[in-house]
Amino acid sequence: MNLAIEIVLIIVALLIGLVGGFYGARSYMKKYFKENPPISEDMIVAMMSQMGQKPSAKKVNQVMNMMKHQNN
């Protein structure tokens, strides 16, 4: 009888840990993306303008493709 209670408590603790971990990771990722948004084409254009370059569509696409390949 004691063994059955221990097994049930272990299973319940695992389920609580899984649910808590899921929601904890979810809130962490939401906070992370709010503080550090992914780079968009508009951000690349602004960065190139600040560096004194003329941001053409070809250059912006090249930078976007380079960043996509670095993430993979």
Side-chain angles (χ1 to χ4, degrees):
M1 195 62 144
N2 242 354
L3 182 63
I5 292 173
E6 289 176 9
I7 292 173
V8 168
L9 287 177
I10 290 172
I11 292 172
V12 168
L14 282 171
L15 290 174
I16 290 172
L18 286 172
V19 171
F22 171 77
Y23 283 107
R26 183 173 168 239
S27 67
Y28 173 78
M29 290 305 293
K30 281 185 176 181
K31 179 183 171 193
Y32 177 81
F33 281 125
K34 191 174 189 180
E35 293 173 356
N36 305 310
I39 296 178
S40 66
E41 290 183 11
D42 294 333
M43 294 171 76
I44 292 173
V45 169
M47 181 180 64
M48 292 174 94
S49 297
Q50 288 175 353
M51 293 189 318
Q53 297 180 6
K54 185 176 179 184
S56 67
K58 183 178 178 182
K59 284 184 182 180
V60 172
N61 288 334
Q62 285 176 342
V63 173
M64 287 295 289
N65 287 332
M66 284 175 28
M67 294 184 73
K68 285 179 186 176
H69 289 302
Q70 282 181 348
N71 290 338
N72 291 334

